[in-house]
Amino acid sequence: MKKVAVVMGGYSDEYKVSLKSGQLIYDSIDRDLYEPYKVIILENNWYAEVEGQTYELHKGDFSFDMNEQKITFDVIFNIIHGTPGEDGFLQAYWDILGIPYTGCGHYLSALTFNKKDTLAVLHKYDIPMAKSFYLTKGDDINLDKIVEKVGLPCFVKPNQSGSSLGISKVKTKEDFAKAFELAFAEDNDILIEEFLDGTEVSVGVIQYGGKTFVSGVTEIVSHNEFFDYEAKYHGASEEITPARISDEMMQKVHEVASKVYDTLKMSGMSRSEYIIVDGVPHFIEMNTLPGFSPASILPQQLTHAGISIKDFVSSELEAKVV
């Protein structure tokens, strides 16, 4: 029976969400086909957890010792949100070790985690998106130039961060100072984006049965100024699946989301955000390891699409196990 490491945790503020996601994945693995183990990656502690007992993980080969037996893994189900599991670091490490893992490879993980670089790539393929301005910590800041490019209101966000951490909606020039402080606390590079006034949708795109499949389109109605951390994880939003849009618009969203997924040559799960303005879906960002707790959007979409979590997990693993 193939041994599966369900890898969760991480170094960012998203680690608690990752632990919930990892638990759902762990519970959903087909025990007739696989032998799953929980593996927790924290900044100063990598360990496997078996029946309440913890065992230190050997970083040299990603194994651990239990009852005088060395446990190695045939495949890894990666469900870390943020660094080091969504930005390519662990993927590159597993590539060196030769251990297959779910999701995309280290290059695409690094690319999609970098909002600016993802936008630059997709821009060449005529994917509609908001106007944006890029800053690195220490740059000279010309507010007039920024406002001329993106207008007001606008959003200031870390270039590499998940779960809407460090994002601010800026309405006046006086708001920029606080917004820069919050964003630079999360990352040395920040993105300033035009405010798009439209319908926000979250689109799950997965590889299922060897084909690109749109798992669902969820309308996001935030009770806050925007879909921030509180709205995502503390109930300050409505998530409506399927989105309340026309059949024609639903088809447009499916087409552009599939095009983005295939253009980037993605694999595994993903969830992308779009804002529909004047009948055009505008790409905002892609998450290659989105939240997967029972309350998360992608599991809800899979259920609505008639795909059980168990079948989805098996599909992800089967694609990687030779």
Side-chain angles (χ1 to χ4, degrees):
M1 196 177 294
K2 301 290 186 182
K3 290 183 172 60
V4 181
V6 182
V7 179
M8 61 191 89
Y11 303 165
S12 74
D13 291 338
E14 297 179 88
Y15 82 94
K16 291 182 180 178
V17 180
S18 175
L19 294 178
K20 292 179 181 179
S21 299
Q23 185 65 52
L24 179 58
I25 297 295
Y26 177 82
D27 291 341
S28 302
I29 288 178
D30 188 341
R31 265 60 174 181
D32 292 333
L33 300 174
Y34 303 102
E35 184 180 338
Y37 292 84
K38 292 183 189 179
V39 174
I40 291 86
I41 303 291
L42 301 177
E43 198 149 11
N44 299 309
N45 193 11
W46 292 23
Y47 63 92
E49 184 180 296
V50 182
E51 296 180 350
Q53 298 294 313
T54 60
Y55 302 88
E56 181 182 357
L57 210 69
H58 305 311
K59 295 181 181 178
D61 60 0
F62 207 69
S63 70
F64 69 97
D65 299 319
M66 183 177 69
N67 300 330
E68 300 182 355
Q69 179 185 2
K70 183 175 183 176
I71 306 296
T72 60
F73 301 108
D74 299 292
V75 63
I76 291 162
F77 199 113
N78 177 21
I79 195 65
I80 289 179
H81 314 312
T83 190
E86 196 172 2
D87 53 7
F89 285 96
L90 280 177
Q91 288 89 336
Y93 161 70
W94 291 323
D95 283 339
I96 292 170
L97 295 178
I99 307 174
Y101 51 87
T102 58
C104 57
H106 72 273
Y107 169 72
L108 275 178
S109 298
L111 173 68
T112 51
F113 199 69
N114 187 307
K115 297 180 180 69
K116 173 184 72 74
D117 289 352
T118 305
L119 294 174
V121 169
L122 292 176
H123 180 72
K124 298 179 184 299
Y125 294 90
D126 298 321
I127 303 297
M129 58 189 65
K131 297 172 186 175
S132 60
F133 197 100
Y134 177 72
L135 284 177
T136 296
K137 188 177 286 187
D139 282 351
D140 291 331
I141 297 174
N142 185 325
L143 294 183
D144 290 332
K145 191 174 181 180
I146 292 170
V147 172
E148 182 182 349
K149 176 75 178 290
V150 303
L152 287 173
C154 63
F155 285 101
V156 175
K157 60 178 70 173
N159 187 45
Q160 299 187 85
S161 178
S163 292
S164 300
L165 295 167
I167 298 181
S168 302
K169 184 176 181 181
V170 170
K171 299 178 180 178
T172 68
K173 286 185 180 180
E174 289 71 31
D175 295 336
F176 274 113
K178 182 63 175 177
F180 289 154
E181 180 184 344
L182 289 173
F184 278 129
E186 296 291 331
D187 190 20
N188 287 332
D189 301 318
I190 66 173
L191 203 62
I192 306 160
E193 285 187 339
E194 170 191 19
F195 168 67
L196 297 176
D197 190 7
T199 301
E200 182 172 358
V201 293
S202 188
V203 188
V205 185
I206 61 174
Q207 201 79 18
Y208 190 71
K211 298 180 180 179
T212 300
F213 178 78
V214 177
S215 60
V217 179
T218 299
E219 182 180 350
I220 306 297
V221 182
S222 177
H223 299 161
N224 295 345
E225 278 277 348
F226 59 96
F227 196 43
D228 58 9
Y229 187 90
E230 182 187 10
K232 280 186 177 181
Y233 298 115
H234 297 292
S237 67
E238 294 177 64
E239 299 163 4
I240 303 165
T241 307
R244 299 170 299 181
I245 55 179
S246 68
D247 291 344
E248 180 184 4
M249 182 54 58
M250 187 70 76
Q251 183 63 30
K252 282 186 180 181
V253 172
H254 275 236
E255 287 174 358
V256 71
S258 296
K259 180 180 178 180
V260 166
Y261 187 97
D262 290 337
T263 294
L264 293 174
K265 294 181 169 55
M266 272 292 300
S267 61
M269 70 174 79
S270 75
R271 196 194 72 230
S272 297
E273 317 306 322
Y274 294 83
I275 295 180
I276 302 168
V277 181
D278 296 329
V280 178
H282 290 66
F283 175 84
I284 303 299
E285 65 181 23
M286 173 182 279
N287 298 285
T288 57
L289 284 170
F292 211 84
S293 70
S296 297
I297 291 172
L298 186 56
Q300 292 179 34
Q301 292 178 341
L302 291 172
T303 299
H304 190 269
I307 300 173
S308 72
I309 304 302
K310 183 177 181 180
D311 286 346
F312 171 72
V313 170
S314 291
S315 174
E316 289 281 281
L317 291 170
E318 286 165 12
K320 301 299 179 178
V321 176
V322 180

